[in-house]
Amino acid sequence: APNAPQTRVPERGRPPVIARTVWGLAGLTALVVTAAAAGIWWSPARDGLPDAGWLVVNGLPVLRLVTLLAGGTMVGFALSAVALDPGARTKLTRAGRRDLGVAATAAFIMAGAGVLFAVFTLADVLGIGLGDLTQPGLLSTYLWDVEVSRAHLIAAVLAVAVGVGLAVARSLGAAAMWLAVGLVAVGIPSLTGHAAGLGGHSLALISGFVHSISAAVWGGGVVAVTTHVLLRSSQLGERVR
C-alpha cells in the first residue's frame, strides 16, 4: 500500500562501535603487556650519565610497536581490498574502498609514529631530553645522520604517499601499486639491523627485509579478515578461504 510503513534494512558491513572498541582495547593491551614483559620501563641513570628521560626511553618501544601495528594494518586492509575481496575481480567493490580507507588511515598513523620514533631515537642517542632538541640546528644537523632515524623518516615519507594514494585510488591496479609501495615502507626499517653495519651480510639483510614484509602480510591479513568476521561482511566464506 502507498501509505504502508517501510521497514529499513540496515546495511551490512558497517563498522559497529563494538568492533572498533575490541581492536582498540587489544592494541592497548598489547602495548602494556609487551612493555611489561620486556622490562623496558625507564629508570634513572646512575653516576651522572647522560639520560634522555622517562618520556624518551618509555616512548621509543611504544612508538615502534605503534609503527609495526599501523604498518601491518595498512598492508592487511589494502591486501583485503585487492586480493581477498571475492567481488574484486575487475574493479574495487564498496567493501574494498572501505578497506582502502582503513589502510590509508593506518598509513598516516604509521608515518606520524615513524617521525616521532626518529626524533625520539636522536634524543636517546644524544642522551638529552626532547626539550633540548629544540636548540637551533640540532635536528637539522644530526637527525639524518642517525641511521635508524633516517630509515624511519624514509619509511614515513613513503607511508604518507601510500596513505594519499590509497585514499584516492579508484582501480585495482592503482591500489595494488600502492600496496607494493607500502610493503617497501614496512620493510625499510629492518635494513638498519645488526647486519647492516657489517660487510658480507647481504643475505641477512634481505632475509630481514622479506621477514618484515611477510609478517606484515600475515599479521595484517589476519586483522583484516578477523574484522570482516566481526562485521559479518558479505561473501565471508570466500574471503576467509
Side-chain angles (χ1 to χ4, degrees):
N3 298 327
Q6 296 182 354
T7 303
R8 183 177 181 181
V9 179
E11 296 182 9
R12 300 182 64 183
R14 181 173 296 176
V17 175
I18 186 172
R20 297 178 180 178
T21 304
V22 167
W23 286 118
L25 291 176
L28 179 61
T29 302
L31 290 173
V32 174
V33 171
T34 302
I40 57 174
W41 301 120
W42 171 82
S43 58
R46 299 179 180 179
D47 302 325
L49 295 175
D51 186 11
W54 71 270
L55 180 59
V56 172
V57 175
N58 292 338
L60 275 172
V62 172
L63 287 172
R64 181 57 182 147
L65 185 57
V66 170
T67 303
L68 291 173
L69 293 176
T73 302
M74 171 190 69
V75 170
F77 277 89
L79 184 66
S80 176
V82 172
L84 301 181
D85 189 347
R89 301 184 184 278
T90 58
K91 62 181 181 179
L92 291 169
T93 64
R94 179 179 300 178
R97 288 192 293 271
R98 208 160 36 230
D99 284 346
L100 290 185
V102 175
T105 301
F108 292 130
I109 294 175
M110 174 186 170
V115 171
L116 288 176
F117 185 86
V119 174
F120 275 49
T121 298
L122 177 61
D124 188 50
V125 169
L126 297 179
I128 60 177
L130 293 177
D132 295 328
L133 288 178
T134 58
Q135 298 178 21
L138 194 58
L139 282 175
S140 59
T141 301
Y142 297 108
L143 186 60
W144 191 255
D145 292 335
V146 179
E147 187 176 10
V148 175
S149 296
R150 181 167 63 248
H152 280 81
L153 288 176
I154 295 174
V157 171
L158 290 178
V160 170
V162 171
V164 174
L166 292 178
V168 301
R170 292 296 179 267
S171 66
L172 276 176
M177 181 193 72
W178 288 114
L179 171 60
V181 177
L183 290 172
V184 174
V186 168
I188 282 179
S190 67
L191 300 179
T192 61
H194 297 293
L198 302 173
H201 285 72
S202 299
L203 180 60
L205 289 175
I206 295 174
S207 298
F209 185 81
V210 173
H211 173 76
S212 297
I213 292 176
S214 301
V217 170
W218 184 84
V222 169
V223 171
V225 171
T226 304
T227 301
H228 282 286
V229 170
L230 293 175
L231 299 178
R232 299 181 181 180
S233 300
S234 59
Q235 296 179 300
L236 181 60
E238 292 292 331
R239 190 184 294 270
V240 172
R241 282 198 294 269

